[in-house]
Amino acid sequence: YPLCALAVSDERPLEVGNGGMTTTEYISHFSLWAALKAPLLIGTDIRSISQTDLDIYLNKEVIAISQDSLAISASLIKQTANKEQQVWAGPLSDGGAVVILFNRGGDETVTMNVRWSEIGFDNSVQLQARDLWLQEDLGRFKGVVAANVESHGVVMMRLSQL
């Protein structure tokens, strides 16, 4: 993991529920905050929060990434020349990794991937991928995993060694 470092706190509260972003954008924002190990400070009035926004804050699988005992922030692994598609990844205490495929631009869904060699694994290794927002296993993959990522959205995965 190039440029991984112990987590550095960003004391700004999350924007989920404050308006100005779509649910997809809120999920992207929360995903990056969790993977970067920033404090998950609620920045909206919880007395009037919508159930959709509350569900984002309460995703236990994403919170587990933020609270992982290894406490190493994800880092930017690769991006397209125009910086519209980015891959973020970081190690986890169980020997696995968190990966975020982030489609920052345009109005189209794009297919994105990450190769094991880009995140510190041998390409011959088989890893289990789990989508943390869908809360479902995606299967076992060898060398690479790909997913369709909607505009302004993420696919956040936990990769586990078998």
Side-chain angles (χ1 to χ4, degrees):
Y1 299 95
L3 304 177
C4 282
L6 287 177
V8 176
S9 294
D10 183 337
E11 300 301 327
R12 292 175 289 180
L14 287 151
E15 292 296 322
V16 177
N18 284 339
M21 287 192 258
T22 66
T23 298
T24 297
E25 291 165 337
Y26 283 150
I27 289 170
S28 297
H29 174 60
F30 193 84
S31 298
L32 288 166
W33 230 250
L36 292 171
K37 309 300 195 267
L40 301 178
L41 303 172
I42 297 174
T44 194
D45 185 344
I46 60 171
R47 295 170 297 175
S48 59
I49 192 170
S50 73
Q51 187 61 50
T52 300
D53 294 340
L54 186 59
D55 290 343
I56 293 170
Y57 280 117
L58 296 178
N59 184 315
K60 290 180 181 181
E61 293 186 47
V62 175
I63 292 170
I65 298 299
S66 174
Q67 301 301 310
D68 185 77
S69 64
L70 193 56
I72 296 178
S73 296
S75 58
L76 181 62
I77 300 302
K78 67 178 180 178
Q79 63 184 339
T80 55
N82 62 7
K83 300 182 182 178
E84 289 193 352
Q85 285 82 43
Q86 298 179 335
V87 176
W88 293 77
L92 298 172
S93 60
D94 64 1
V98 60
V99 171
I100 297 176
L101 307 177
F102 185 20
N103 180 9
R104 297 179 57 204
D107 294 322
E108 296 181 15
T109 297
V110 297
T111 301
M112 297 177 64
N113 70 60
V114 64
R115 297 186 184 289
W116 293 179
S117 59
E118 296 169 328
I119 57 172
F121 294 102
D122 187 282
N123 281 334
S124 65
V125 172
Q126 192 174 57
L127 299 174
Q128 176 73 38
R130 180 165 178 84
D131 185 310
L132 301 183
W133 287 104
L134 295 178
Q135 297 185 325
E136 65 183 38
D137 291 330
L138 302 176
R140 296 175 177 190
F141 299 87
K142 188 174 180 180
V144 65
V145 65
N148 293 325
V149 186
E150 67 181 299
S151 176
H152 297 208
V154 298
V155 172
M156 185 177 194
M157 293 178 275
R158 181 181 199 118
L159 301 178
S160 302
Q161 296 188 40
L162 301 173

